[in-house]
Amino acid sequence: DQQVKQNSPSLSVQEGRISILNCDYTNSMFDYFLWYKKYPAEGPTFLISISSIKDKNEDGRFTVFLNKSAKHLSLHIVPSQPGDSAVYFCAARKLGNTPLVFGKGTRLSVIA
Amino acid sequence: GAVVSQHPSRVICKSGTSVKIECRSLDFQATTMFWYRQFPKKSLMLMATSNEGSKATYEQGVEKDKFLINHASLTLSTLTVTSAHPEDSSFYICSAPGTGDGYTFGSGTRLTVV
C-alpha cells in the first residue's frame, strides 16, 4: 500500500523554463510534506517542506504547493537550471520524530 | 547545519560474512535514527527505527536477526548485516531528525555481496 505516489518516473525540461514535479498521497494524517533531491550513490538532500496547515511555501527558486482536498502536492522550480538535474523524492511524515514515507521519485533532466 | 556521517561509503563482502555500517551525528544529538534501504531505481524503504538506549523497531518483513541495529549513544547508530547474501546487496542510508522539518541523511553505503 503506497501512501506517497509519484506517478511520473521522469521529466525533461529546457533550461530557464519551469519544472513541475507532482506527488499524491493517501494518508490524510500526514502533518508535513517534503521534497528531497538525490544524486546516485548519495543520500537525499532536503529542499523544501510544507506543513499540512499551509497551501504554499516558497524558498528561492523552489515553491511547494499543497492541495489537501485533492491530497496532492507539487514542486515548482523556476527557472530550471542544468544543475537541478537529479532524482526528486516526495516524502511525508507525521508530527514528532516519525519516519519519512517516500514516493518512488521523479528523474528531472534539465536540458541546456 | 545538522550533519550525519555514514561509513563506509561502499563495501564488498563475501557471502556469509557480516558487515557493519556506522552513522554518526556530528554536531547534534540523534536520539532517533531511521535506517532505509534503496533498491535500484526504487524508493527508499524504511527498515527500522532505532532509539538511543532501547531496542530498535523493525518494519514488517525486515528480519531483525539479520539486520542488527544498535544505538548505544546519542551520536552513534550502527546497522550490522549478518551472514550477508547477494540479495542483501543494496544501498543503505541512515537519517536523523535535526532541528528543522527536513531530516538529515547520511551519504549512504553501497553494499555488494559476492
Side-chain angles (χ1 to χ4, degrees):
Chain A
D1 174 33
Q2 206 178 344
Q3 297 184 68
V4 178
K5 302 177 186 180
Q6 292 177 260
N7 293 319
S8 297
S10 63
L11 174 68
S12 261
V13 172
Q14 276 210 304
E15 181 180 6
R17 307 293 279 263
I18 184 170
S19 294
I20 301 176
L21 296 110
N22 293 302
C23 178
D24 297 295
Y25 62 96
T26 57
N27 189 340
S28 57
M29 301 301 290
F30 287 132
D31 295 294
Y32 290 99
F33 302 90
L34 307 94
W35 286 94
Y36 283 82
K37 179 180 180 180
K38 187 180 182 302
Y39 295 111
E42 293 184 11
T45 302
F46 171 68
L47 280 176
I48 191 168
S49 65
I50 187 167
S51 162
S52 61
I53 62 173
K54 307 257 183 177
D55 55 22
K56 178 182 175 181
N57 187 25
E58 192 172 349
D59 184 2
R61 296 186 299 116
F62 302 94
T63 304
V64 56
F65 295 92
L66 175 62
N67 182 335
K68 282 191 71 176
S69 61
K71 293 193 176 70
H72 176 85
L73 62 151
S74 60
L75 174 68
H76 292 211
I77 306 173
V78 181
S80 301
Q81 299 172 353
D84 296 330
S85 297
V87 177
Y88 288 77
F89 285 96
C90 172
R93 68 176 179 88
K94 297 177 185 177
L95 269 178
N97 288 346
T98 55
L100 293 166
V101 179
F102 285 89
K104 289 188 175 180
T106 297
R107 179 176 300 280
L108 173 65
S109 299
V110 180
I111 305 158
Chain B
V3 176
V4 172
S5 176
Q6 182 171 349
H7 293 281
S9 58
R10 58 175 61 231
V11 58
I12 300 173
C13 71
K14 291 185 177 179
S15 286
T17 61
S18 295
V19 172
K20 181 187 281 189
I21 301 169
E22 291 189 349
C23 278
R24 293 181 184 271
S25 56
L26 297 186
D27 47 3
F28 69 104
Q29 293 184 330
T31 56
T32 302
M33 191 74 75
F34 302 109
W35 287 92
Y36 291 86
R37 177 176 182 177
Q38 185 185 23
F39 292 99
K41 298 184 180 179
K42 297 287 185 185
S43 184
L44 288 84
M45 301 301 298
L46 180 69
M47 297 175 66
T49 301
S50 73
N51 292 293
E52 186 267 336
S54 62
K55 288 186 178 180
T57 305
Y58 290 81
E59 295 300 299
Q60 193 172 14
V62 178
E63 300 175 57
K64 57 180 70 176
D65 294 329
K66 170 173 259 314
F67 299 101
L68 299 179
I69 289 174
N70 184 278
H71 196 148
S73 79
L74 288 171
T75 58
L76 175 64
S77 178
T78 62
L79 165 66
T80 301
V81 183
T82 63
S83 187
H85 288 107
E87 57 265 31
D88 299 325
S89 298
S90 193
F91 190 63
Y92 294 88
I93 316 175
C94 59
S95 170
T99 53
D101 297 335
Y103 295 172
T104 300
F105 283 80
S107 53
T109 297
R110 167 74 58 196
L111 170 63
T112 303
V113 184
V114 298

Coordinates of all heavy atoms in Angstrom, one line a residue, chain B residues 38-103:
Chain B
Q38 N 17.5 1.2 -0.3 CA 17.0 1.6 -1.6 C 17.5 0.6 -2.6 O 18.7 0.4 -2.8 CB 17.5 3.0 -2.0 CG 16.9 3.5 -3.3 CD 17.5 4.8 -3.8 OE1 18.5 5.2 -3.4 NE2 16.7 5.5 -4.6
F39 N 16.6 0.0 -3.3 CA 16.9 -0.9 -4.5 C 17.1 0.0 -5.7 O 16.5 1.1 -5.7 CB 15.8 -2.0 -4.7 CG 15.8 -3.0 -3.5 CD1 14.8 -2.8 -2.5 CD2 16.7 -4.0 -3.5 CE1 14.8 -3.8 -1.5 CE2 16.7 -4.9 -2.4 CZ 15.7 -4.8 -1.4
P40 N 17.8 -0.5 -6.7 CA 18.0 0.3 -7.9 C 16.7 0.8 -8.5 O 15.7 0.1 -8.7 CB 18.7 -0.7 -8.9 CG 19.4 -1.7 -8.0 CD 18.5 -1.8 -6.8
K41 N 16.7 2.1 -8.7 CA 15.6 2.8 -9.4 C 14.3 2.6 -8.6 O 13.2 2.7 -9.1 CB 15.4 2.3 -10.8 CG 16.6 2.6 -11.7 CD 16.3 2.3 -13.1 CE 17.6 2.6 -14.0 NZ 17.4 2.2 -15.4
K42 N 14.4 2.4 -7.3 CA 13.2 2.3 -6.4 C 13.3 3.3 -5.3 O 14.2 4.1 -5.2 CB 13.2 0.9 -5.8 CG 13.1 -0.2 -6.8 CD 11.7 -0.3 -7.4 CE 11.6 -1.5 -8.3 NZ 10.3 -1.6 -9.0
S43 N 12.2 3.4 -4.6 CA 12.1 4.3 -3.5 C 12.9 3.9 -2.3 O 13.5 2.8 -2.2 CB 10.6 4.5 -3.1 OG 10.5 5.5 -2.1
L44 N 13.1 4.8 -1.3 CA 13.7 4.5 -0.1 C 12.7 3.8 0.8 O 11.7 4.4 1.2 CB 14.3 5.7 0.6 CG 15.5 6.4 0.0 CD1 15.1 7.3 -1.1 CD2 16.3 7.1 1.0
M45 N 13.0 2.6 1.3 CA 12.1 1.8 2.1 C 12.6 1.8 3.5 O 13.8 1.4 3.8 CB 12.0 0.4 1.6 CG 11.5 0.3 0.2 SD 9.9 1.0 -0.1 CE 8.9 0.0 1.0
L46 N 11.8 2.2 4.5 CA 12.2 2.2 5.9 C 12.4 0.7 6.4 O 11.5 -0.1 6.2 CB 11.1 2.9 6.7 CG 11.3 2.9 8.2 CD1 12.5 3.9 8.5 CD2 10.1 3.4 9.0
M47 N 13.5 0.5 7.0 CA 13.8 -0.8 7.5 C 13.5 -0.9 9.0 O 12.9 -1.8 9.5 CB 15.3 -1.2 7.3 CG 15.7 -1.3 5.9 SD 17.5 -1.6 5.8 CE 17.6 -3.2 6.6
A48 N 14.0 0.2 9.7 CA 13.9 0.1 11.2 C 14.1 1.5 11.7 O 14.7 2.4 11.1 CB 14.9 -0.9 11.8
T49 N 13.6 1.7 13.0 CA 13.9 2.9 13.7 C 14.6 2.6 15.0 O 14.2 1.7 15.7 CB 12.5 3.5 14.1 OG1 11.8 3.8 12.9 CG2 12.7 4.8 14.9
S50 N 15.7 3.3 15.2 CA 16.5 3.0 16.4 C 16.4 4.2 17.3 O 16.4 5.3 16.9 CB 18.0 2.7 16.1 OG 18.6 3.9 15.7
N51 N 16.3 3.9 18.6 CA 16.2 4.9 19.6 C 17.3 4.7 20.6 O 17.5 3.5 21.0 CB 14.9 5.0 20.3 CG 13.7 5.4 19.4 OD1 13.7 6.6 19.0 ND2 12.9 4.5 19.1
E52 N 18.0 5.7 21.0 CA 19.2 5.6 21.9 C 18.8 4.9 23.2 O 17.8 5.3 23.8 CB 19.8 7.0 22.2 CG 21.0 6.9 23.0 CD 20.8 7.1 24.5 OE1 19.7 7.7 24.8 OE2 21.6 6.7 25.3
G53 N 19.5 3.8 23.5 CA 19.2 3.2 24.8 C 18.1 2.2 24.8 O 17.8 1.6 25.8
S54 N 17.5 1.9 23.7 CA 16.4 1.0 23.6 C 16.4 0.1 22.4 O 17.2 0.4 21.5 CB 15.0 1.6 23.8 OG 14.8 2.5 22.7
K55 N 15.6 -0.9 22.3 CA 15.6 -1.8 21.2 C 15.1 -1.1 19.9 O 14.1 -0.3 20.0 CB 14.8 -3.1 21.5 CG 15.5 -4.0 22.4 CD 14.7 -5.3 22.6 CE 15.4 -6.3 23.5 NZ 14.7 -7.5 23.7
A56 N 15.6 -1.5 18.8 CA 15.1 -0.9 17.5 C 13.7 -1.5 17.2 O 13.4 -2.6 17.6 CB 16.1 -1.2 16.4
T57 N 13.0 -0.7 16.5 CA 11.7 -1.1 16.0 C 11.8 -1.4 14.5 O 12.2 -0.6 13.7 CB 10.6 0.0 16.2 OG1 10.6 0.3 17.5 CG2 9.3 -0.5 15.7
Y58 N 11.5 -2.7 14.1 CA 11.7 -3.1 12.7 C 10.3 -3.0 11.9 O 9.3 -3.3 12.5 CB 12.2 -4.5 12.7 CG 13.7 -4.6 13.1 CD1 14.0 -4.6 14.5 CD2 14.7 -4.6 12.2 CE1 15.3 -4.7 14.9 CE2 16.0 -4.7 12.7 CZ 16.3 -4.7 14.0 OH 17.6 -4.8 14.5
E59 N 10.4 -2.7 10.7 CA 9.3 -2.7 9.8 C 8.9 -4.2 9.5 O 9.8 -5.1 9.5 CB 9.5 -1.9 8.6 CG 9.7 -0.4 8.8 CD 8.5 0.2 9.5 OE1 7.4 0.2 8.9 OE2 8.7 0.7 10.6
Q60 N 7.7 -4.3 9.1 CA 7.2 -5.7 8.7 C 8.0 -6.2 7.6 O 8.3 -5.5 6.6 CB 5.7 -5.6 8.3 CG 5.0 -6.9 8.2 CD 3.5 -6.8 8.0 OE1 3.1 -5.7 7.7 NE2 2.8 -7.8 8.2
G61 N 8.4 -7.4 7.7 CA 9.2 -8.1 6.6 C 10.7 -7.9 6.8 O 11.4 -8.6 6.0
V62 N 11.2 -7.1 7.7 CA 12.6 -7.0 7.9 C 13.1 -7.9 9.0 O 12.5 -7.8 10.1 CB 12.9 -5.5 8.3 CG1 14.4 -5.3 8.5 CG2 12.5 -4.6 7.2
E63 N 14.0 -8.7 8.7 CA 14.5 -9.7 9.7 C 15.4 -9.1 10.7 O 16.5 -8.6 10.4 CB 15.3 -10.8 9.0 CG 14.5 -11.6 7.9 CD 15.3 -12.6 7.2 OE1 15.9 -13.5 7.9 OE2 15.5 -12.5 6.0
K64 N 15.0 -9.0 12.0 CA 15.7 -8.4 13.0 C 17.0 -9.1 13.3 O 18.0 -8.5 13.8 CB 14.9 -8.1 14.3 CG 14.3 -9.4 14.9 CD 13.5 -9.1 16.1 CE 12.2 -8.3 15.7 NZ 11.3 -8.1 16.9
D65 N 17.0 -10.4 13.1 CA 18.3 -11.2 13.4 C 19.3 -11.0 12.3 O 20.5 -11.3 12.5 CB 17.9 -12.7 13.5 CG 17.1 -12.9 14.8 OD1 17.2 -12.1 15.7 OD2 16.2 -13.8 14.8
K66 N 18.8 -10.6 11.1 CA 19.8 -10.4 10.0 C 20.3 -9.0 10.0 O 21.5 -8.8 9.7 CB 19.1 -10.7 8.7 CG 19.9 -10.3 7.5 CD 19.4 -10.7 6.2 CE 20.0 -11.9 5.6 NZ 21.5 -11.9 5.6
F67 N 19.5 -8.0 10.3 CA 19.8 -6.6 10.3 C 19.8 -6.1 11.8 O 18.8 -5.7 12.3 CB 18.9 -5.8 9.5 CG 18.8 -6.2 8.0 CD1 17.8 -7.0 7.5 CD2 19.8 -5.8 7.1 CE1 17.8 -7.4 6.2 CE2 19.8 -6.2 5.8 CZ 18.8 -7.0 5.3
L68 N 21.0 -6.2 12.4 CA 21.1 -5.9 13.8 C 21.4 -4.4 13.9 O 22.3 -3.8 13.3 CB 22.3 -6.6 14.4 CG 22.2 -8.2 14.4 CD1 23.4 -8.8 15.1 CD2 20.9 -8.6 15.2
I69 N 20.6 -3.7 14.7 CA 20.7 -2.3 14.9 C 21.0 -2.0 16.3 O 20.4 -2.5 17.2 CB 19.5 -1.5 14.4 CG1 19.4 -1.6 12.9 CG2 19.5 -0.1 14.9 CD1 18.1 -1.0 12.3
N70 N 22.1 -1.1 16.5 CA 22.5 -0.7 17.8 C 22.6 0.8 17.9 O 23.1 1.4 17.0 CB 23.8 -1.4 18.2 CG 24.2 -1.1 19.6 OD1 24.8 0.0 19.9 ND2 24.0 -2.0 20.5
H71 N 22.0 1.3 18.9 CA 22.0 2.8 19.1 C 22.5 3.1 20.5 O 21.7 3.5 21.4 CB 20.6 3.3 18.8 CG 20.6 4.8 18.6 ND1 19.7 5.4 17.7 CD2 21.3 5.8 19.0 CE1 19.8 6.7 17.7 NE2 20.9 7.0 18.5
A72 N 23.8 2.8 20.8 CA 24.3 2.8 22.1 C 24.5 4.2 22.7 O 24.6 4.4 23.9 CB 25.6 2.0 22.2
S73 N 24.7 5.2 21.8 CA 24.9 6.6 22.3 C 24.1 7.6 21.5 O 23.5 7.2 20.5 CB 26.4 6.9 22.2 OG 26.7 7.3 20.8
L74 N 24.1 8.8 21.9 CA 23.3 9.9 21.3 C 23.9 10.3 19.9 O 23.3 11.1 19.2 CB 23.1 11.1 22.2 CG 22.2 10.8 23.4 CD1 22.3 12.0 24.3 CD2 20.8 10.7 22.9
T75 N 25.1 9.8 19.6 CA 25.7 10.2 18.4 C 26.1 9.1 17.5 O 26.7 9.3 16.4 CB 27.0 11.0 18.7 OG1 27.9 10.2 19.4 CG2 26.7 12.3 19.4
L76 N 25.8 7.9 17.8 CA 26.2 6.7 17.0 C 25.1 5.7 16.9 O 24.6 5.2 17.9 CB 27.5 6.1 17.6 CG 27.9 4.8 16.8 CD1 28.3 5.1 15.4 CD2 29.1 4.2 17.6
S77 N 24.7 5.3 15.7 CA 23.8 4.2 15.5 C 24.5 3.3 14.4 O 25.1 3.8 13.5 CB 22.5 4.7 14.9 OG 21.6 3.6 14.7
T78 N 24.4 2.0 14.6 CA 25.1 1.1 13.7 C 24.1 0.0 13.2 O 23.1 -0.4 13.9 CB 26.3 0.3 14.3 OG1 25.8 -0.5 15.4 CG2 27.3 1.3 14.8
L79 N 24.3 -0.4 11.9 CA 23.5 -1.4 11.3 C 24.5 -2.5 10.9 O 25.4 -2.2 10.1 CB 22.8 -0.9 10.1 CG 22.2 -1.9 9.1 CD1 21.0 -2.7 9.8 CD2 21.6 -1.2 7.8
T80 N 24.3 -3.7 11.4 CA 25.1 -4.8 11.0 C 24.3 -5.8 10.2 O 23.3 -6.3 10.7 CB 25.7 -5.5 12.2 OG1 26.5 -4.6 13.0 CG2 26.6 -6.7 11.8
V81 N 24.8 -6.1 9.0 CA 24.1 -7.1 8.1 C 24.9 -8.4 8.4 O 26.1 -8.5 8.1 CB 24.3 -6.7 6.6 CG1 23.5 -7.7 5.8 CG2 23.7 -5.3 6.4
T82 N 24.2 -9.3 9.0 CA 24.8 -10.6 9.4 C 24.6 -11.6 8.3 O 23.6 -11.7 7.7 CB 24.2 -11.1 10.7 OG1 22.8 -11.3 10.6 CG2 24.4 -10.0 11.8
S83 N 25.6 -12.5 8.2 CA 25.5 -13.6 7.3 C 25.0 -13.1 5.9 O 23.9 -13.6 5.4 CB 24.7 -14.7 7.8 OG 24.7 -15.9 7.0
A84 N 25.7 -12.2 5.4 CA 25.2 -11.5 4.1 C 25.1 -12.4 3.0 O 25.9 -13.3 2.8 CB 26.1 -10.3 3.8
H85 N 24.0 -12.2 2.2 CA 23.8 -12.9 0.9 C 23.7 -12.0 -0.2 O 23.4 -10.8 0.0 CB 22.6 -13.8 1.0 CG 22.7 -15.0 1.9 ND1 22.1 -15.0 3.2 CD2 23.4 -16.1 1.8 CE1 22.4 -16.2 3.7 NE2 23.2 -16.9 2.9
P86 N 23.9 -12.4 -1.5 CA 23.8 -11.5 -2.6 C 22.5 -10.7 -2.6 O 22.6 -9.5 -3.1 CB 24.0 -12.4 -3.8 CG 24.8 -13.5 -3.3 CD 24.4 -13.7 -1.9
E87 N 21.4 -11.2 -2.2 CA 20.2 -10.5 -2.2 C 20.1 -9.3 -1.2 O 19.3 -8.5 -1.2 CB 19.0 -11.4 -2.0 CG 19.0 -12.2 -0.7 CD 19.6 -13.6 -0.9 OE1 20.4 -13.8 -1.8 OE2 19.2 -14.5 -0.2
D88 N 21.2 -9.3 -0.3 CA 21.3 -8.2 0.6 C 22.0 -7.0 0.0 O 22.1 -5.9 0.6 CB 22.0 -8.6 1.9 CG 21.3 -9.7 2.6 OD1 20.1 -9.7 2.6 OD2 22.0 -10.6 3.2
S89 N 22.5 -7.2 -1.2 CA 23.2 -6.1 -1.9 C 22.2 -5.0 -2.2 O 21.2 -5.2 -2.7 CB 23.8 -6.6 -3.2 OG 24.7 -7.6 -3.0
S90 N 22.6 -3.8 -1.7 CA 21.7 -2.7 -1.8 C 22.4 -1.4 -1.4 O 23.6 -1.4 -1.1 CB 20.4 -2.9 -0.9 OG 19.4 -2.0 -1.2
F91 N 21.6 -0.3 -1.4 CA 22.1 1.0 -0.9 C 21.4 1.2 0.4 O 20.2 1.3 0.5 CB 21.8 2.0 -1.9 CG 22.4 3.4 -1.7 CD1 23.8 3.5 -1.7 CD2 21.7 4.5 -1.5 CE1 24.5 4.7 -1.5 CE2 22.3 5.7 -1.3 CZ 23.7 5.8 -1.3
Y92 N 22.2 1.4 1.5 CA 21.6 1.6 2.8 C 21.9 3.0 3.3 O 23.0 3.5 3.1 CB 22.3 0.6 3.8 CG 21.9 -0.8 3.5 CD1 22.7 -1.6 2.6 CD2 20.8 -1.4 4.1 CE1 22.3 -2.9 2.4 CE2 20.4 -2.8 3.8 CZ 21.2 -3.5 3.0 OH 20.9 -4.8 2.7
I93 N 20.9 3.7 3.8 CA 21.0 5.1 4.2 C 20.4 5.3 5.6 O 19.3 4.7 5.9 CB 20.3 6.0 3.2 CG1 20.5 5.7 1.8 CG2 20.7 7.5 3.5 CD1 19.7 6.5 0.8
C94 N 21.1 6.1 6.4 CA 20.5 6.4 7.7 C 20.0 7.9 7.7 O 20.4 8.7 6.8 CB 21.6 6.2 8.8 SG 23.0 7.3 8.6
S95 N 19.2 8.2 8.6 CA 18.6 9.5 8.6 C 18.2 9.9 10.1 O 17.7 9.0 10.8 CB 17.4 9.6 7.8 OG 16.7 10.8 7.9
A96 N 18.4 11.1 10.5 CA 18.1 11.5 11.8 C 17.3 12.8 11.8 O 17.7 13.7 11.0 CB 19.3 11.6 12.7
P97 N 16.4 13.0 12.7 CA 15.7 14.3 12.8 C 16.7 15.3 13.3 O 17.5 15.0 14.3 CB 14.6 14.0 13.8 CG 14.4 12.5 13.8 CD 15.7 12.0 13.5
G98 N 16.7 16.5 12.7 CA 17.5 17.6 13.2 C 16.7 18.6 13.9 O 15.8 18.3 14.7
T99 N 17.0 19.9 13.6 CA 16.2 21.0 14.2 C 15.1 21.5 13.4 O 14.2 22.2 13.9 CB 17.2 22.1 14.5 OG1 17.8 22.5 13.3 CG2 18.2 21.8 15.6
G100 N 15.1 21.1 12.1 CA 14.0 21.6 11.2 C 13.1 20.5 10.8 O 13.1 19.4 11.4
D101 N 12.3 20.8 9.8 CA 11.3 19.8 9.3 C 12.0 18.7 8.5 O 11.5 17.6 8.5 CB 10.2 20.5 8.4 CG 9.4 21.5 9.2 OD1 9.3 21.4 10.4 OD2 8.9 22.4 8.5
G102 N 13.1 19.1 7.8 CA 13.7 18.1 7.0 C 14.8 17.3 7.7 O 15.7 17.9 8.3
Y103 N 14.7 16.1 7.7 CA 15.7 15.2 8.4 C 17.0 15.2 7.6 O 17.0 15.4 6.4 CB 15.2 13.8 8.5 CG 13.9 13.6 9.4 CD1 13.3 12.4 9.5 CD2 13.4 14.7 10.1 CE1 12.2 12.2 10.3 CE2 12.3 14.5 10.9 CZ 11.7 13.3 11.0 OH 10.6 13.1 11.8

